[in-house]
Amino acid sequence: MAELVFFSGTMDCGKSTLALQMDHNHRARARVGLIFTKLDRMGESVLSSRLGLSTEAHEVSDDLDFWDVVVEHLTHGQRADYLICDESQFYTAAQIEQLARVVDELGIDVNCFGITADFRTELFPGSKRLFELADRVQVLQVAALCWCGARATHNARIIDGVMVVEGEQVVVGDTASATDASVEYEVLCRRHYMRRMSSHAARMASATPDVLPFDLDVCAVPPRD
């Protein structure tokens, strides 16, 4: 029986890598699938992993109708045994409902991969609707780590080296630090997220630049009001 499955987690926990591996495994068994993504770090119409793997994909715009796309695909005599939907946190609630309809009425498995919450700890619209409609929600077991070594549970936005908790929900950046990039993202444990202590702030609080202050009482950035 077909399912709508949501594979969720923070950044850096291997969501896109798993999506690529899942597609590979299906194709190795002569199954045919459609791959979708939105706002991938490598550009349009590509699903990429930080490990360097990538594949072509359909770019999801806000006005794309999954039901229409899949039905048109099938009416042209082509197969679709499964859907891989990466960056599904960016999909609209209506698009998640379309994916559920694909599962229920066409019997096609839909596997969605996405971040649960944004840099403000608020659910993305697509993730929220997936929690409400998915047959299964699976939290990925590859743990992303905070700079202190604890399991990372929150996504932090860093602008010019400073963690921010206000702004537009969607701003594309990367988790790889770059001197010419004004917007970066970093995964943090809850304690350091609540203290607004990124790795940069931790180094600023350290007595020496080579050692991070793992003492939670040390914080270069005041907690939010």
Side-chain angles (χ1 to χ4, degrees):
M1 186 174 182
E3 286 187 309
L4 173 61
V5 183
F6 181 32
F7 297 89
S8 70
T10 62
M11 297 178 296
D12 284 351
C13 70
K15 296 181 302 300
S16 297
T17 301
L18 178 59
L20 289 164
Q21 181 66 55
M22 183 177 292
D23 178 60
H24 170 78
N25 290 350
H26 281 292
R27 291 183 185 276
R29 294 296 178 263
R31 303 191 81 214
V32 179
L34 295 174
I35 302 177
F36 298 88
T37 190
K38 184 173 185 177
L39 300 177
D40 188 275
R41 70 185 68 83
M42 286 188 62
E44 289 190 1
S45 303
V46 61
L47 190 167
S48 68
S49 163
R50 299 187 195 283
L51 297 182
L53 304 173
S54 64
T55 189
E56 293 182 357
H58 299 276
E59 185 71 17
V60 177
S61 60
D62 286 345
D63 59 356
L64 181 142
D65 189 309
F66 282 102
W67 175 262
D68 288 346
V69 170
V70 175
V71 168
E72 182 179 4
H73 181 83
L74 296 175
T75 55
H76 280 78
Q78 302 179 76
R79 286 174 53 193
D81 300 314
Y82 62 93
L83 268 59
I84 299 288
C85 300
D86 198 29
E87 306 292 357
S88 57
Q89 73 272 9
F90 297 138
Y91 299 178
T92 67
Q95 288 172 329
I96 302 303
E97 293 168 10
Q98 295 158 13
L99 291 172
R101 186 183 179 193
V102 167
V103 173
D104 295 340
E105 299 189 25
L106 299 178
I108 297 174
D109 286 313
V110 175
N111 299 287
C112 294
F113 301 80
I115 296 169
T116 301
D118 63 18
F119 72 105
R120 302 167 299 184
T121 69
E122 297 178 8
L123 292 175
F124 283 100
S127 300
K128 179 178 183 295
R129 200 67 180 125
L130 278 165
F131 276 120
E132 295 165 345
L133 295 181
D135 296 295
R136 288 188 292 123
V137 176
Q138 292 192 200
V139 178
L140 298 191
Q141 296 304 305
V142 177
L145 300 179
C146 177
W147 59 262
C148 68
R151 184 184 181 98
T153 54
H154 291 68
N155 304 302
R157 179 181 292 172
I158 314 296
I159 298 182
D160 294 328
V162 179
M163 179 180 162
V164 298
V165 292
E166 295 181 352
E168 295 183 13
Q169 186 174 54
V170 179
V171 175
V172 177
D174 204 351
T175 57
S177 179
T179 57
D180 59 346
S182 60
V183 179
E184 303 167 17
Y185 289 90
E186 182 176 357
V187 289
L188 300 173
C189 65
R190 185 183 65 247
R191 289 182 178 180
H192 286 124
Y193 176 88
M194 297 299 288
R195 290 174 178 266
R196 300 186 192 179
M197 182 179 271
S198 65
S199 58
H200 176 76
R203 288 189 177 90
M204 293 293 292
S206 177
T208 64
D210 298 324
V211 180
L212 291 175
F214 295 104
D215 184 351
L216 290 174
D217 291 332
V218 178
C219 185
V221 182
R224 72 173 102 181
D225 296 334

